[in-house]
Amino acid sequence: MSDATFEQNPGTLPGHKSLKLPGTAKVSRLLLGAGAVAGFVLLPVVALVEIALQGSGDLWPHLVESVLPVALGQTLALLVGVGIATVLMAVPCAWLVATCDFPGRKLLDWALLLPLAVPSYIVAYSYLDVLHPLGPVQSAIRWALGISSPRGLHLPDVRSVGGCIFVLSCVLYPYVYFSARASFIVQSAAALEVARTLGASRMRTILRVALPLARPAIVAGVTLVLLEALGDIGASEFLGMRTLTVSIYTTWVNRANLPGAAQIALVMLVLVLAVILTERWARRGARYVATGSTRPQAPLRLAGGAGIAATAFCCLPILLGFVVPVLHLASAAAQRIEFSGFSGGILIETRNSALLALSGTLVALALGSVVAMAQRLTRARLAVWFARIAGLGYAVPGTVLAIGLLTPLAGFDNAVNRAMTSLFGVSTGLLISGSGAALVIAYAIRFLTIPIGGLEAGYSKLSLHLDMAARSLGCSRRATVRRIHLPLLRPALATAALMVFVDGMKELPATLLLRPLGVETLATHIYAEAARSTYEDGALAALLIVLVGLAPVILLARVSRAGVPTSTSRSPVSPSPASDPR
């Protein structure tokens, strides 16, 4: 019996009308759980609207006149610049690595993903020091030109819109590279050969055939880049930008105006929605499916000067986005340790970061498992909608999420405090919003899409016949999940856990706003040192975050090449949701 036949009547087996599959007897409970998770994700957005409505009548006109024009202008300039720059950096590299053979290609294939291990605020922190008038770059240029005074050389200031575009592009281009490279790899050689036989040059074939076929993947990668750039706070603030995210933070923290921050956050959510809808519009009707057997492209051999140029071009993004920042961090950390020794505070901050990230990971895995299992065991369309809603947290910037969580968590704390005081005479205080629990909840909502996507990809590889066989042998729903699903889904769970944990270790905006008083993490330590312009004191913490971030990048590089078709392969492999670089 095929899976298609089973899906038409998922509750019974042929010849056994009374025999139900695992989960169908308790559909309502699982769907209610998935619906509760989806509502949990939407709660901050609803609360955000309520907070915004609490502002005075003259607040919004003031924001429109004084804050939003600059914030919107710089944000839009940043998005346009970063979007164009990442495409120009990533797409040629993806094409060269996927379709050409040149010196160092195998190494560059995965090395181009390395900037994913370095958070944007760390790269900004590094380049502020490297490109400083007294830094190594300008000092070397002055030495080469025979200029003795720092005032004798005027280079563009990295604290500018252009500098922020440069920094974010160097960090975020792997999102476009990853998706474009996967698309180029699985393109059939037949389509390109037909174009060549009709007289098209190689460049015209790339522009008119290969790029249009890869457009949906490129657009998807650019959308991720724009969402990341939109939610960035560390790099933008370090480099003197007044984006919407920075304006939200300063309005709340520096001006103590929570309703004003909420109103700016709503404007930012509208921009997020516009980015997502633009991505959907750009990919409308763009569905390219290879039917029948396909033959991958044979790599084009680039020798001599062409090969050297290809190697150099692909090395440049790695140099700018990974090598320069990491070498600077390693040098500054070594100097700091030699001068003052190893600080015990770093160990405490590492412990705090790890505990918060681990707690967020466990909560995200638990909630993601409920949503993914609801889709598998109920086979209900409503479960699919709940999964899509639950995955929206990734599109909500950390600052917006933090503001939206404030009111519901404070309301819950007040209700518990009143109940405990009236019943037992004990005041519980700010049980959640005053502790690390608020930050754990923010991490879980923010990164919930990772375990949901990973488990969906894992379940897609498990035939429904396994469920049918288990039920026919007398297994209950829980036994089926415990003895069959979970063991087979262990790789997907481990991958999702690793990626959520590392994202939690690196997360800055929500951590700045929701961390308990007196609790420092590696990310907030770096932010504080950069705000004081004592960059070298935060180098060791930054280096630790980079080292932790290398683990999922290495895993991603291995997974992304697993199953890639060779020259004799007959079936292309599409990129798996579990391999999403997010």
Side-chain angles (χ1 to χ4, degrees):
M1 182 183 71
S2 66
D3 288 351
T5 304
F6 167 73
E7 291 178 6
Q8 293 175 0
N9 190 13
T12 61
L13 297 177
H16 299 272
K17 294 184 179 180
S18 62
L19 191 59
K20 293 184 177 294
L21 281 174
T24 55
K26 298 181 179 180
V27 166
S28 58
R29 291 186 182 181
L30 210 48
L31 276 180
L32 282 176
V37 174
F40 186 60
V41 173
L42 288 178
L43 181 62
V45 178
V46 177
L48 191 66
V49 176
E50 180 185 354
I51 297 173
L53 292 176
Q54 296 174 5
S56 59
D58 59 346
L59 178 58
W60 178 248
H62 168 72
L63 293 176
V64 171
E65 181 180 355
S66 305
V67 178
L68 288 179
V70 176
L72 268 175
Q74 292 200 1
T75 300
L76 292 176
L78 185 66
L79 294 181
V80 172
V82 171
I84 294 174
T86 51
V87 169
L88 294 178
M89 293 173 66
V91 174
C93 291
W95 170 259
L96 289 170
V97 167
T99 66
C100 300
D101 187 12
F102 54 91
R105 174 201 177 196
K106 291 184 178 180
L107 175 64
L108 293 169
D109 184 19
W110 63 267
L112 281 160
L113 295 172
L114 286 175
L116 285 176
V118 192
S120 60
Y121 57 87
I122 290 180
V123 176
Y125 154 95
S126 300
Y127 274 110
L128 278 174
D129 224 13
V130 170
L131 299 179
H132 191 273
L134 299 179
V137 173
Q138 294 203 38
S139 297
I141 295 176
R142 287 198 306 271
W143 175 84
L145 298 177
I147 301 174
S148 58
S149 173
R151 297 183 179 180
L153 180 66
H154 298 282
L155 294 179
D157 190 359
V158 70
R159 294 178 181 267
S160 62
V161 176
C164 194
I165 290 173
F166 165 75
V167 167
L168 291 180
S169 300
C170 290
V171 179
L172 300 178
Y173 80 85
Y175 289 102
V176 182
Y177 165 78
F178 183 87
S179 55
R181 168 179 152 278
S183 178
F184 288 138
I185 286 175
V186 300
Q187 285 182 7
S188 172
L192 304 179
E193 290 170 353
V194 168
R196 296 302 302 276
T197 59
L198 294 175
S201 64
R202 186 175 299 278
M203 181 57 66
R204 185 176 177 84
T205 301
I206 294 173
L207 296 177
R208 298 296 298 273
V209 180
L211 282 180
L213 288 173
R215 182 169 64 88
I218 295 173
V219 170
V222 172
T223 301
L224 288 177
V225 167
L226 297 182
L227 291 176
E228 290 287 344
L230 191 58
D232 175 79
I233 185 173
S236 301
E237 187 175 10
F238 293 164
L239 300 177
M241 298 284 288
R242 289 176 58 190
T243 61
L244 288 172
T245 304
V246 175
S247 298
I248 292 170
Y249 179 74
T250 56
T251 302
W252 181 4
V253 177
N254 297 345
R255 300 187 180 94
N257 190 341
L258 184 58
Q263 291 180 3
I264 301 174
L266 287 179
V267 175
M268 191 170 177
L269 277 183
V270 171
L271 193 54
V272 169
L273 181 62
V275 170
I276 295 174
L277 292 179
T278 301
E279 184 260 350
R280 299 298 183 194
W281 175 82
R283 291 203 292 164
R284 68 192 189 287
R287 299 292 185 268
Y288 307 111
V289 180
T291 58
S293 62
T294 59
R295 176 170 50 85
Q297 307 173 55
L300 174 64
R301 176 68 178 172
L302 300 179
I308 295 175
T311 302
F313 185 87
C314 292
C315 284
L316 185 60
I318 304 171
L319 179 69
L320 297 176
F322 183 80
V323 176
V324 170
V326 170
L327 287 180
H328 171 261
L329 292 176
S331 174
Q335 293 177 12
R336 188 64 183 172
I337 292 175
E338 183 180 0
F339 176 75
S340 59
F342 191 85
S343 172
I346 289 291
L347 296 178
I348 297 175
E349 292 161 2
T350 303
R351 182 201 63 190
N352 292 339
S353 299
L355 287 177
L356 289 170
L358 180 60
S359 301
T361 299
L362 294 177
V363 175
L365 285 180
L367 298 180
S369 298
V370 170
V371 174
M373 289 177 182
Q375 293 184 80
R376 172 72 174 202
L377 298 177
T378 67
R379 315 295 294 174
R381 186 177 298 275
L382 191 58
V384 177
W385 280 103
F386 287 153
R388 298 299 167 257
I389 294 173
L392 291 177
Y394 184 79
V396 180
T399 48
V400 177
L401 183 61
I403 294 176
L405 283 173
L406 199 62
T407 294
L409 293 183
F412 177 82
D413 286 340
N414 292 333
V416 172
N417 184 61
R418 286 193 299 268
M420 293 296 292
T421 302
S422 62
L423 293 176
F424 305 104
V426 177
S427 176
T428 57
L430 298 178
L431 194 63
I432 295 181
S433 56
S435 67
L439 193 53
V440 169
I441 292 172
Y443 287 170
I445 294 176
R446 179 84 169 87
F447 306 122
L448 186 57
T449 186
I450 297 176
I452 291 176
L455 288 173
E456 285 178 351
Y459 267 129
S460 68
K461 300 176 183 178
L462 303 185
S463 173
L464 293 170
H465 293 123
L466 292 173
D467 298 48
M468 297 159 55
R471 186 54 176 157
S472 66
L473 293 173
C475 280
S476 64
R477 178 186 67 171
R478 292 182 181 179
T480 302
V481 171
R482 185 180 69 253
R483 299 174 62 181
I484 297 177
H485 291 180
L486 290 182
L488 293 175
L489 291 173
R490 192 173 297 144
L493 286 169
T495 301
L498 177 62
M499 297 182 76
V500 173
F501 177 79
V502 173
D503 280 344
M505 290 282 290
K506 298 188 297 184
E507 210 284 332
L508 178 63
T511 308
L512 277 175
L513 298 174
L514 293 177
R515 63 193 167 108
L517 291 175
V519 174
E520 289 285 349
T521 66
L522 292 175
T524 59
H525 173 74
I526 296 167
Y527 179 87
E529 297 296 349
R532 292 191 289 264
S533 297
T534 53
Y535 307 112
E536 65 281 355
D537 292 339
L540 182 57
L543 191 61
L544 288 174
I545 289 181
V546 172
L547 293 177
V548 171
L550 283 174
V553 172
I554 294 172
L555 175 66
L556 181 63
R558 293 182 58 186
V559 171
S560 65
R561 268 296 176 181
V564 170
T566 62
S567 58
T568 58
S569 181
R570 285 298 184 187
S571 59
V573 178
S574 300
S576 167
S579 303
D580 193 319
R582 290 176 289 180

